[in-house]
């Protein structure tokens, strides 16, 4: 009867009957409900054409919004109760966020056309009499968007925030810098975007592909763009966690400011923003100059992003240049470090201390465990579960995002039709059966798993339609894993999920999402002849 995605904790239907929204339906909003009131009036108002004026005083035909500490006690600040009665609807959040998630459920109950932006003729907006009690399993329900490899213009990011909200996802991990592009205006270092935000051409397909897109690619967000994105996210109870990737994945920054690179190993003035895919050997020099430069970058980042967490990358930093660099070797000697891994650990540790002193928390990819984990660090576990397990056992917080399970750049079916196939086959069902908390953790250690996120790397996603194709429908399955209290993977009712997906595809259609249809890619979603990087055989770490 209720085909909501993600699946709510408890649903009861107290009787037959319904409540119908109409031109006289009013919105009664109490303290702490302002954001949801604005969102409901704007979103449902657009879809239905109903004015939903404010309600003053008692009476029926009302959608009532409130927050209640009693609900917080039962269901947490992100939990909510939703009741549809013959006289109206009451949505009660544990806190403002819970109320907002309740409003998202209400939109789903109204049917797919509630996801449109203008009313269709002759629609009725009837809700079944129902009671919902709901709360998320994890506080970190994330999507990582790589806007460095291919830039996503601001309106696309705002659209993704809406798509996240519709799926009750609440963390946008914003991968802003990489070898192939620097996407964030930094006022004190203008060359980061003047030089670093565009490349002359782009490899079309993965590394082995002989094809090039022989045209410039670029773009960046101004401070005002970021303020708009962050505020738009906050209005939807989504936190934007910025990522500035150091000390690897930094070739775009080095192309802009050659002194950031290992100048005693290579001529860094000859480097350009990278036009190919893979792991660049050109990494930051571990010098005081580099530290001061990135403190300057992070000062502007902290100014723009209120998020408690700031991601500093730390992944895939080849150490060859540090091994060859007299400057890097001298630093290892001065600091009495064991090796280059310890040097990276020292580098990350510097920013852990720096961020902690400013009331923030560092998060990094699981390579930051190598050479020793900084005391305040949280780990994004991407190379399987192992990094996350080690970090949780050491008492550190963890976000589980193993590439074998939730890297949405990986192909979603076998077969020659999948566009630019990457990695393992990870189907909708595979994602639905992903379990973020490994059974090897004790209950206390499992408490360090803040949650999970799906990662969208965009090397072979040149535009929004390609991102949609890779992200959907799997992001819907992921959202249910992150939110709902599902049983163990083997016992999950995938058939039931697929059944609910029938409605959800219609919601995605109304939202204009270019998802992969269950029958396979549409002709224009294919990329015949463009090489990917498929990996054959069963995925490891299952
Ligand atoms: C990563 O996929 N390099 C975090």
């Amino acid at each position: 009867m209720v085909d909501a995605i993600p699946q709510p904790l408890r649903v009861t239907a107290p009787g037959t009957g319904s409540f119908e929204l109409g031109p006289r339906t009013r919105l009664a909003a109490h303290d702490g409900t302002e954001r949801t009131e604005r969102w409901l009036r704007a979103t449902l108002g657009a879809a239905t054409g109903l004015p939903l004026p404010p309600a003053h005083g008692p009476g029926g035909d009302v959608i009532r919004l409130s927050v209640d500490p009693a609900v917080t006690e039962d269901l947490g600040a992100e939990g909510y109760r939703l009741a549809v009665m013959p006289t109206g609807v009451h949505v009660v959040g544990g806190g403002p966020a819970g109320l907002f998630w309740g409003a998202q459920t209400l939109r789903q109950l109204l049917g797919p056309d509630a996801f449109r932006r203008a009313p269709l003729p002759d629609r009725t907006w009837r809700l079944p009499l129902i009671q919902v009690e709901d709360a998320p399993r994890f506080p970190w329900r994330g999507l990582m968007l790589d806007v460095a490899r291919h830039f996503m213009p601001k309106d696309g990011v705002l659209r993704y925030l809406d798509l996240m909200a519709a799926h009750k996802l609440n963390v946008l991990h914003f991968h802003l810098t990489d070898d192939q592009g620097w996407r964030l205006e930094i006022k004190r270092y203008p060359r980061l975007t003047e030089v670093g935000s565009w490349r002359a051409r782009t490899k079309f397909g993965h590394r082995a592909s002989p094809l090039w897109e022989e045209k410039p690619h670029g773009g960046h967000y101004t401070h005002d763009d970021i303020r708009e994105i962050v505020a738009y996210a906050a209005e939807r109870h989504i936190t934007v966690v910025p990522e500035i990737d150091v000390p690897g994945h930094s070739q775009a920054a080095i192309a802009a400011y050659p002194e950031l690179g290992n100048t005693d190993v290579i001529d860094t003035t000859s480097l350009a923003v990278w036009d190919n895919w893979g792991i660049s050997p050109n990494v930051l020099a571990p010098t005081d100059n580099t530290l001061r430069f990135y403190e300057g970058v992070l000062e502007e980042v902290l100014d723009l992003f209120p998020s408690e967490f700031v991601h500093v990358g730390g992944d895939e930093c080849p150490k060859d240049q540090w091994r060859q660099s007299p400057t890097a070797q001298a630093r290892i000697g001065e600091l009495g470090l064991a090796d280059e891994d310890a040097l990276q650990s020292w580098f990350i540790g510097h920013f852990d201390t720096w961020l902690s002193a400013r009331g923030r928390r560092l998060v990094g990819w699981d390579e930051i465990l190598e050479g020793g984990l900084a005391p305040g660090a949280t780990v994004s576990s991407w190379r399987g579960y192992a990094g996350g397990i080690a970090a949780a056992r050491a008492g550190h917080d963890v976000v589980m995002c193993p590439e074998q399970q939730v890297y949405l750049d990986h192909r979603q079916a076998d077969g020659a039709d999948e566009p630019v196939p990457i990695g393992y086959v990870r189907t909708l069902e595979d994602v639905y059966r992903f379990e973020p908390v490994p059974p090897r953790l004790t209950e206390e250690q499992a408490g360090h798993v803040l949650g999970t996120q799906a990662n969208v790397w965009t090397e072979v996603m040149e535009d929004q339609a390609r991102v949609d194709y890779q992200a959907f429908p799997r992001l819907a399955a992921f959202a249910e894993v992150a939110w709902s209290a599902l049983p163990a993977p083997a016992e999950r009712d995938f058939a039931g999920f697929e059944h609910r997906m029938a409605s959800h595809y219609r919601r995605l259609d109304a939202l204009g999402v270019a998802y992969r249809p269950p029958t396979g890619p549409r002709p224009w979603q294919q990329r015949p002849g463009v090489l990917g990087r498929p990996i054959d055989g069963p995925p490891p770490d299952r």
Side-chain angles (χ1 to χ4, degrees):
M1 171 194 52
V2 168
D3 51 13
I5 286 180
Q7 189 168 52
L9 199 55
R10 277 184 287 278
V11 179
T12 49
T16 51
S18 61
F19 168 71
E20 189 173 324
L21 271 66
R24 294 158 62 88
T25 304
R26 296 162 304 148
L27 212 49
H30 301 273
D31 285 351
T33 69
E34 296 80 5
R35 279 182 273 183
T36 297
E37 182 193 11
R38 277 195 293 273
W39 181 85
L40 265 180
R41 188 169 287 122
T43 309
L44 285 192
T48 61
L50 300 174
L52 301 172
H56 303 289
D61 205 353
V62 169
I63 300 174
R64 192 169 299 283
L65 310 176
S66 60
V67 292
D68 182 349
V71 175
T72 322
E73 221 161 273
D74 285 355
L75 298 165
E78 287 199 286
Y80 66 90
R81 291 205 180 102
L82 185 159
V84 182
M85 300 155 288
T87 51
V89 181
H90 193 180
V91 193
V92 195
L99 174 69
F100 183 71
W101 306 131
Q104 292 292 341
T105 301
L106 174 62
R107 178 159 71 152
Q108 293 202 356
L109 294 174
L110 283 167
D113 288 339
F115 289 76
R116 296 184 184 276
R117 279 187 268 184
L120 299 175
D122 307 323
R123 287 296 186 279
T124 51
W125 303 98
R126 191 167 289 129
L127 290 161
L129 299 191
I130 202 171
Q131 290 182 353
V132 179
E133 269 198 342
D134 201 7
R137 180 178 176 198
F138 294 110
W140 185 304
R141 305 178 301 279
L143 171 68
M144 191 222 68
L145 209 51
D146 167 16
V147 293
R149 270 53 175 273
H150 280 101
F151 180 60
M152 183 181 278
K154 183 196 71 183
D155 60 335
V157 177
L158 300 178
R159 173 177 175 271
Y160 257 85
L161 289 166
D162 278 326
L163 293 175
M164 288 175 69
H167 292 83
K168 301 188 173 76
L169 298 172
N170 70 342
V171 179
L172 174 65
H173 171 166
F174 209 18
H175 184 79
L176 287 163
T177 72
D178 215 300
D179 298 309
Q180 296 85 0
W182 181 286
R183 305 290 172 216
L184 175 64
E185 177 187 28
I186 299 295
K187 291 205 191 275
R188 72 189 78 183
Y189 306 126
R191 286 174 59 83
L192 284 172
T193 44
E194 284 167 12
V195 173
S197 76
W198 68 279
R199 52 184 184 258
R201 64 173 190 169
T202 299
K203 173 57 63 85
F204 187 35
H206 216 269
R207 275 192 299 284
S209 165
L211 305 175
W212 294 92
E213 184 75 89
E214 292 285 358
K215 66 178 190 197
H217 175 87
H220 75 274
Y221 311 105
T222 65
H223 279 202
D224 281 351
D225 290 340
I226 293 292
R227 289 194 180 97
E228 182 183 357
I229 287 167
V230 166
Y232 194 85
E235 192 74 3
R236 286 153 185 76
H237 298 276
I238 296 171
T239 301
V240 184
V241 175
E243 181 184 351
I244 304 294
D245 204 343
V246 294
H249 287 288
S250 298
Q251 188 169 321
I254 298 168
Y257 291 95
E259 65 271 25
L260 294 173
N262 293 288
T263 54
D264 55 354
V265 179
I266 59 153
D267 174 13
T268 56
T269 62
S270 69
L271 291 177
V273 177
W274 207 16
D275 55 13
N276 209 335
W277 311 123
I279 302 175
S280 167
N282 300 305
V283 304
L284 297 177
T287 60
D288 289 340
N289 175 61
T290 302
L291 296 182
R292 295 294 91 72
F293 184 96
Y294 276 88
E295 287 170 4
V297 168
L298 288 173
E299 275 176 24
E300 294 189 29
V301 166
L302 297 197
D303 210 37
L304 292 168
F305 295 92
S307 159
E308 180 184 18
F309 284 99
V310 174
H311 207 292
V312 299
D315 56 323
E316 297 179 322
C317 178
K319 306 297 189 302
D320 305 314
Q321 291 186 350
W322 289 0
R323 276 190 274 277
Q324 292 163 35
S325 159
T327 309
Q329 292 302 315
R331 177 122 275 186
I332 288 175
E334 263 164 50
L335 296 167
L337 300 174
D339 55 16
E340 291 76 18
D341 281 347
L343 185 59
Q344 158 145 341
S345 171
W346 166 81
F347 191 99
I348 298 292
H350 175 83
F351 290 106
D352 180 46
T353 307
W354 192 91
L355 287 168
S356 298
R358 286 154 185 80
R360 307 295 184 104
R361 295 176 66 187
L362 179 145
V363 52
W365 301 109
D366 58 55
E367 287 92 332
I368 67 171
L369 282 149
E370 294 162 9
L373 194 53
T378 293
V379 170
S380 305
S381 189
W382 76 275
R383 295 176 300 177
Y385 289 105
I389 291 171
R393 284 186 175 152
H396 289 256
D397 285 343
V398 172
V399 177
M400 280 294 181
C401 48
E403 65 169 338
Q404 295 83 357
Q405 275 83 4
V406 286
Y407 266 36
L408 300 185
D409 52 333
H410 285 206
R411 58 200 162 132
Q412 43 202 329
D414 219 343
D417 286 350
E418 284 310 305
V420 208
I422 299 286
Y424 302 110
V425 174
R426 311 308 296 149
T427 63
L428 183 64
E429 180 166 359
D430 290 331
V431 173
Y432 193 67
R433 296 192 193 283
F434 163 59
E435 173 48 48
V437 180
R440 283 168 275 169
L441 294 182
T442 64
E443 198 172 320
E444 194 203 328
Q445 291 161 355
H448 284 293
V449 179
L450 299 178
T452 180
Q453 78 186 20
N455 293 341
V456 175
W457 299 103
T458 59
E459 287 94 331
V460 300
M461 296 176 217
E462 68 278 7
D463 57 27
Q464 177 178 289
R466 282 285 296 127
V467 174
D468 277 8
Y469 180 89
Q470 293 300 130
F472 290 98
R474 293 181 296 182
L475 195 64
F478 174 79
E480 185 147 311
V481 168
W483 176 279
S484 305
L486 297 179
E491 282 134 47
R492 290 182 190 168
D493 178 13
F494 180 67
F497 174 75
E498 270 190 311
H499 186 73
R500 284 180 286 125
M501 277 303 292
S503 300
H504 204 66
Y505 283 119
R506 293 181 57 214
R507 296 180 194 126
L508 296 177
D509 284 331
L511 287 165
V513 175
Y515 57 82
R516 179 188 189 278
T519 49
R522 298 184 163 99
W524 59 90
Q525 293 178 315
Q526 299 171 20
R527 294 288 182 275
V530 185
L531 283 183
R533 185 183 56 87
I535 300 171
D536 289 327
D541 203 24
R542 288 200 74 179

